[in-house]
Amino acid sequence: MVKRLARYYARAINVLVVCSANICRSRIAEVRLRKELAERSVPASVSSAGTLAGRREVPPQVKELLGKTDARLSEPGRQVELGDLEAADLVICLAREHLRELVVLSPGCWERTATLCELVRRGSAVGPRTVWEEPSEWVRRALRGREMRSMVGESPVDDIADPYGGSLADYRRADREITGLVHQLADLIWPRALLESR
């Protein structure tokens, strides 16, 4: 299967996940998405960053949820750089505020940047990727026609609540929400039936 996939993808897709400090939501989404794609044998590079400056430590609650043996979790959060955005095929934000900041930093990333909730919602509306589409083409199709003003303000529809400073239950709630959305996104961009048919 890996050889068939290698022929289908010209190169591995590069996914960047962004939240505020890169210690909670984006770390959860990064780990969950990497695991989901590995299970589907999808060649991909998944990384994460934050919009805030400073290198904060990953909270113990996140390490507990994701597994203390994950070496990447020992690394502090890092701030997103222009090069990260230019290299990414898909940028996934955990809230509208992150998307707005990234588009200011790199206006050209608008057509391949979305909140996780938005991408799943719009992707569900246009349907899963077809055999004729590359992942980046599907992303453009899913996001076609939206306007920047739709990302103004906060929204429970697009924003995943930050569990930082909350109880373990808050972290678990964020993990369940993110994990479910990541699975839905994988089913839309990398549906198992499509991968198995290659």
Side-chain angles (χ1 to χ4, degrees):
M1 175 180 289
V2 174
K3 289 183 179 179
R4 291 199 299 269
L5 283 170
R7 287 198 300 269
Y8 181 54
Y9 293 97
R11 61 180 173 83
I13 186 171
N14 185 350
V15 183
L16 176 67
V17 187
V18 178
C19 72
S20 298
N22 186 219
I23 57 174
C24 296
R25 292 168 291 177
S26 60
R27 289 299 182 96
I28 293 170
E30 175 191 2
V31 171
R32 298 305 187 202
L33 181 58
R34 186 182 297 114
K35 181 176 183 291
E36 188 79 43
L37 298 186
E39 289 175 353
R40 297 169 190 245
S41 298
V42 172
S45 170
V46 183
S47 61
S48 64
T51 56
L52 299 177
R55 296 176 62 80
R56 299 163 179 81
E57 295 299 320
V58 174
Q61 297 93 329
V62 173
K63 293 180 180 179
E64 180 177 335
L65 287 170
L66 300 179
K68 297 177 182 178
T69 58
D70 190 320
R72 290 186 176 94
L73 294 178
S74 65
E75 300 171 2
R78 69 180 187 89
Q79 186 175 22
V80 66
E81 298 177 354
L82 180 59
D84 297 321
L85 299 175
E86 293 175 342
D89 300 299
L90 171 61
V91 182
I92 299 172
C93 301
L94 278 298
R96 287 181 176 183
E97 63 178 307
H98 308 133
L99 187 152
R100 292 193 299 268
E101 290 188 43
L102 298 185
V103 171
V104 169
L105 178 61
S106 176
C109 75
W110 165 251
E111 66 178 17
R112 51 194 161 79
T113 302
T115 67
L116 178 58
C117 296
E118 177 195 19
L119 191 55
V120 169
R121 183 177 67 250
R122 294 180 67 92
S124 297
V126 301
R129 181 168 63 92
T130 69
V131 69
W132 299 282
E133 289 179 302
E134 295 223 9
S136 58
E137 293 171 331
W138 180 87
V139 169
R140 284 195 298 273
R141 178 163 65 93
L143 299 180
R144 186 177 298 132
R146 68 179 179 152
E147 298 180 352
M148 287 190 186
R149 64 183 178 183
S150 68
M151 290 294 111
V152 172
E154 297 179 355
S155 168
V157 175
D158 284 324
D159 299 347
I160 294 175
D162 189 352
Y164 184 72
S167 66
L168 181 57
D170 294 324
Y171 284 88
R172 286 177 173 158
R173 189 178 304 111
D175 182 37
R176 284 195 302 271
E177 183 177 5
I178 291 169
T179 300
L181 288 164
V182 161
H183 181 73
Q184 291 179 66
L185 181 63
D187 277 345
L188 288 165
I189 306 184
W190 298 279
R192 292 184 187 276
L194 176 62
L195 297 178
E196 291 167 0
S197 70
R198 300 309 301 176

